Amino acid sequence: MRKTLLAVMAVAAIGFTSCNGSKTGQGPAIDSTSVIETPDLTEQATIDADNMTKSLAEKIAANNPEEVKALIEQAKEKIAEFLAKGDAEAARIYQEKISTFLTENADKIKAVVGEENEAVNTLINAITSAPASAAAALEGAAGAVDEAANAAKDEAQKKVDEAVDAQKKKAADAIDGAADDAKKKLGL
């Protein structure tokens, strides 16, 4: 019996040591209280623009016209994405960085894609002008909303004033009627 007990304890001891010693396959401990910070849209626009200009420079250096055209199209779509999220400032930042790069490298781009490539020229023009017009449209919409809100506020104030005046008149008439009744009772 003792031999069996010792054999079981030896197996258990070996089992425990093998379980504790085999942590080589595990990664680092994860802190469940850590917070992953995501950049705001303006920071994201700067990061994305830097990445895009780097990619464009690589494709221009590699003399790859299709990739250059595709990246310029992606840049245009990214501006639209920032505007769709309602952040005209992020779109402006992204557009400025991309536009500056495109302007500074216009000769290299034309050499890669060809001088007469209308599609690329259209994309470049769209990038250099889109955010300004979109920002103006957003500002115009905001102005229209403000005007509508002010008009609604003025209309509501007018109705409140009318209701107050009506209540004042009603109260004054009631007071005058009560005074007349009191005079009649007193015989005046």
Side-chain angles (χ1 to χ4, degrees):
M1 175 104 159
R2 271 189 161 178
K3 288 182 183 180
T4 309
L5 181 62
L6 286 175
V8 170
M9 287 177 50
V11 170
I14 292 171
F16 285 132
T17 59
S18 68
C19 288
N20 288 337
S22 66
K23 290 188 176 185
T24 58
Q26 296 178 352
I30 298 175
D31 181 10
S32 64
T33 60
S34 66
V35 177
I36 298 173
E37 291 186 31
T38 56
D40 68 351
L41 285 179
T42 55
E43 291 174 20
Q44 188 65 42
T46 301
I47 293 167
D48 288 350
D50 290 342
N51 290 338
M52 179 59 72
T53 56
K54 182 180 175 186
S55 295
L56 275 167
E58 290 171 357
K59 299 306 177 188
I60 291 169
N63 201 20
N64 189 335
E66 292 302 317
E67 289 291 323
V68 170
K69 181 180 173 186
L71 287 174
I72 293 173
E73 180 67 34
Q74 286 176 5
K76 179 183 170 202
E77 290 170 2
K78 191 67 170 179
I79 293 168
E81 180 183 320
F82 284 124
L83 289 172
K85 290 180 180 176
D87 196 339
E89 181 64 18
R92 184 191 60 76
I93 290 169
Y94 186 86
Q95 181 270 335
E96 283 178 357
K97 286 189 171 277
I98 299 298
S99 181
T100 300
F101 177 84
L102 293 175
T103 303
E104 290 172 355
N105 294 288
D107 294 334
K108 293 177 185 176
I109 293 170
K110 287 178 184 177
V112 171
V113 298
E115 192 79 28
E116 301 298 321
N117 192 329
E118 189 62 34
V120 173
N121 290 334
T122 302
L123 287 172
I124 291 172
N125 289 335
I127 289 172
T128 57
S129 65
S133 61
L138 285 174
E139 288 174 5
V145 168
D146 286 343
E147 287 177 21
N150 287 338
K153 180 181 171 185
D154 291 344
E155 186 64 30
Q157 185 62 44
K158 183 178 173 183
K159 292 202 184 265
V160 167
D161 290 343
E162 288 173 359
V164 167
D165 289 343
Q167 290 298 324
K168 283 182 184 178
K169 182 169 178 15
K170 190 175 180 181
D173 289 345
I175 291 172
D176 288 343
D180 289 342
D181 287 344
K183 286 180 185 178
K184 285 181 186 176
K185 288 183 180 179
L186 291 175
L188 297 174

